[in-house]
Amino acid sequence: MTSSPQHWDAAYDSGHETRGWYQASAVLSRVLIRDTGLPHDCAIIDIGGGASVLVDDLLADGYTDITVLDHSPAGLRVARERLGDSAADVTWVTADLRAWTPERTYAIWHDRAVLHFLLADDDIAAYRARLLEATGPGSWAVIGIFGPEGPAVCAGLPVRQYDESDLEALLEPDFEIAQMTFADHVRPDGEVQQFLWALAQRT
Ligand SMILES: C[S@@+](CC[C@H](N)C(=O)[O-])C[C@H]1O[C@@H](n2cnc3c(N)ncnc32)[C@H](O)[C@@H]1O
């Protein structure tokens, strides 16, 4: 089983609100994005955003420059259909983040539950390269991935668990970490998953 667009399309098509990563509100992402202190017209990209409600929350909070990228057309379709007319206020990018060429830079790079699916060194290096291309000095990264006590498998795919030093190795020295925190995600079926979150600013 590989993390292909077809794999994720099938996951979304089988009922995204039952999937393990589903959350009704992107509470912690919202707090960390607010903690950047950036104005509401800052450029935000949600990497591997899929059907996430973060875009709904950000629009409700008054953010005006939001991009959602995902390689799964089905995931993006769920989000667009849910938003209705407001979907036109968002930029949607269907792309594999590893091979994507950013056309601009973003003030905030947000990733919840995407990086931990990248297992090969080359894929992690590609993630880091895109992160640096898509941000500039002063930009922020908000990244939430499985912590050391997180699961070994998610969505039928093997995942990597990150501890603080793993996340530091990914971000530093180009980013300075402002906050790092563990948080539990309660899946729709009640199972609890440990996440590690970082808020970091590009130097
Ligand atoms: C576990 S889901 C998380 C979705 C969303 N971030 C959330 O919090 O609800 C992982 C997402 O990453 C996307 N994804 C995985 N690998 C990707 C890649 N190489 N390029 C773009 N998107 C990818 C999947 O399609 C899926 O939407």
Side-chain angles (χ1 to χ4, degrees):
M1 201 76 84
T2 57
S3 179
S4 62
Q6 294 75 19
H7 177 87
W8 289 101
D9 280 353
Y12 284 115
D13 285 343
S14 64
H16 83 102
E17 292 185 5
T18 65
R19 303 294 90 193
W21 62 91
Y22 174 75
Q23 53 180 357
S25 174
V27 181
L28 187 50
S29 299
R30 226 167 161 173
V31 168
L32 293 173
I33 287 170
R34 188 199 61 206
D35 284 355
T36 66
L38 292 176
H40 284 152
D41 62 354
C42 71
I44 303 175
I45 185 158
D46 189 14
I47 290 290
S52 170
V53 296
L54 176 63
V55 60
D56 310 48
D57 291 348
L58 293 176
L59 287 169
D61 287 345
Y63 290 95
T64 56
D65 187 349
I66 306 165
T67 299
V68 182
L69 175 146
D70 205 287
H71 66 176
S72 162
L76 295 178
R77 189 174 58 242
V78 170
R80 278 205 303 263
E81 288 177 359
R82 187 181 62 232
L83 282 169
D85 291 346
S86 301
D89 299 331
V90 175
T91 302
W92 305 93
V93 179
T94 307
D96 185 325
L97 72 91
R98 296 167 298 181
W100 167 58
T101 304
E103 290 174 358
R104 60 184 297 201
T105 57
Y106 299 87
I108 301 177
W109 166 290
H110 174 272
D111 164 1
R112 173 181 177 269
V114 182
L115 168 63
H116 55 215
F117 289 101
L118 303 181
L119 302 181
D121 289 347
D122 283 357
D123 288 343
I124 296 169
Y127 180 99
R128 194 169 194 287
R130 299 297 89 73
L131 170 61
L132 294 179
E133 288 165 9
T135 56
S139 293
W140 292 84
V142 178
I143 298 178
I145 35 61
F146 288 138
E149 293 166 24
V153 174
C154 181
L157 299 169
V159 286
R160 176 179 172 184
Q161 296 90 10
Y162 280 76
D163 64 20
E164 290 105 317
S165 60
D166 297 325
L167 207 41
E168 283 165 8
L170 180 93
L171 291 168
E172 293 174 348
D174 300 286
F175 284 81
E176 192 172 314
I177 294 170
Q179 293 183 41
M180 207 175 305
T181 183
F182 289 104
D184 285 339
H185 165 61
V186 182
R187 294 165 32 123
D189 64 5
E191 191 183 308
V192 176
Q193 295 177 325
Q194 183 197 47
F195 273 70
L196 174 62
W197 284 88
L199 171 65
Q201 187 167 31
R202 182 99 182 253
T203 54

